[in-house]
Amino acid sequence: MGQVGWRAAMQWALYGPEGFYTRGERPAAHFRTSVHASHRFALALARLIVEVDTALGHPDPFHLVDVGAGCGELLAEILPVTSLAGRLRPIAVEVAPRPEGLSGAIEWRSTPPEEITGLVVANEWLDNVPVDVVELTDEGPRLVVVDPRTGAEIPGPAPSAEDTEWFERWWPLREPGDRAEIGRHRCAAWESVLRRLRGGLALAVDYAHERDHRPPYGTLTGYRDGRCVAPVPDGSCDITAHVALDACAEAGLRGGATGTLLTTQRTALRALGLRGERPALDLARSDPRGYLRALRAAGEDAELIDPSGLGSFGWLVQTVGVDVPAVLRKAQPSA
């Protein structure tokens, strides 16, 4: 493969025949997500499932769809704490082969169901939907092309009309050298999720930024063995870029969303009961083991809601046919 645009290079490096995800790399071996940080993330989502199930009138089945499921850890952690009286139908969507040892109750497939009633979770999925990169040069905007073997870049052709329309609306370029990561294909991917949702809630959790605070030089990053590395699209590492969740929210409206909330993981998880507060010292005297359990839970909560870490992730909540759950709507932004 010669020099190509970043979107084609990412597609090949992540999802080609020997791509990073296609060959079944275990994400936990390369980067840490909320799912890997603590089972309490699953507990918070279990509370959200109950809210959505009630709003829908307890449908049978209730679909729980994890898009970009990795090795299925999130669904495996939710299953023991959310039965819904046998109505829960967990579905993992992932391009990698089904991992050994995964519960037989979890359906494994490469694409989402055409019709979904329930809850869709996309935890750090959109950041792996490939993007093209455009840079403002003295001759105007130019697509950046890359050598997949080395990661070396050069200016390429002018962007298409569709790409130009997207970045002029969502990621304006102001100075020569400024870059935008064109997220219109991510918007389309998210819109396709909402079009499948017959009723319920779709949740995207990801590294995110807003239109007035886009990073001027982009966010393309590689991960390998738990470390940030150069984003060389040769298939040897994960390649990710932060997500314009505000643009995806508008795409979700086109897909049929009737309710929308954009917030942070810190605000959302605190509303769902993860406070990160140390237990009272009196508990240590009356119930030492209970105190240690509560102390551990507080530490895990603190990592999930850390405003300088996982707590800074964006949460895009969109609903179809039901309101955004009151527990999230009433949550106030927290420092």
Side-chain angles (χ1 to χ4, degrees), residues 166-167 169-174 178-181 207-219 242-247 312:
W166 190 91
F167 74 73
R169 168 75 190 282
W170 292 108
W171 197 325
L173 301 174
R174 296 179 174 85
D178 282 1
R179 288 187 168 200
E181 291 150 359
Y207 304 95
H209 41 57
E210 299 176 347
R211 186 184 185 280
D212 293 337
H213 300 93
R214 307 287 190 218
Y217 308 119
T219 62
H242 295 197
V243 183
L245 282 181
D246 46 0
S312 68

Side-chain angles (χ1 to χ4, degrees), residues 35-106:
V35 177
H36 307 136
S38 171
H39 74 287
R40 294 184 62 78
F41 184 74
L43 288 177
L45 292 186
R47 297 187 183 105
L48 189 57
I49 289 168
V50 171
E51 296 274 345
V52 176
D53 181 55
T54 300
L56 288 171
H58 311 294
D60 187 5
F62 181 101
H63 300 107
L64 175 59
V65 182
D66 186 3
V67 183
C71 293
E73 299 100 329
L74 178 60
L75 294 178
E77 290 182 352
I78 288 177
L79 272 177
V81 294
T82 307
S83 67
L84 298 191
R87 294 178 290 108
L88 186 68
R89 182 182 169 194
I91 301 169
V93 179
E94 185 55 74
V95 298
R98 182 187 185 96
E100 295 182 4
L102 188 67
S103 168
I106 298 174

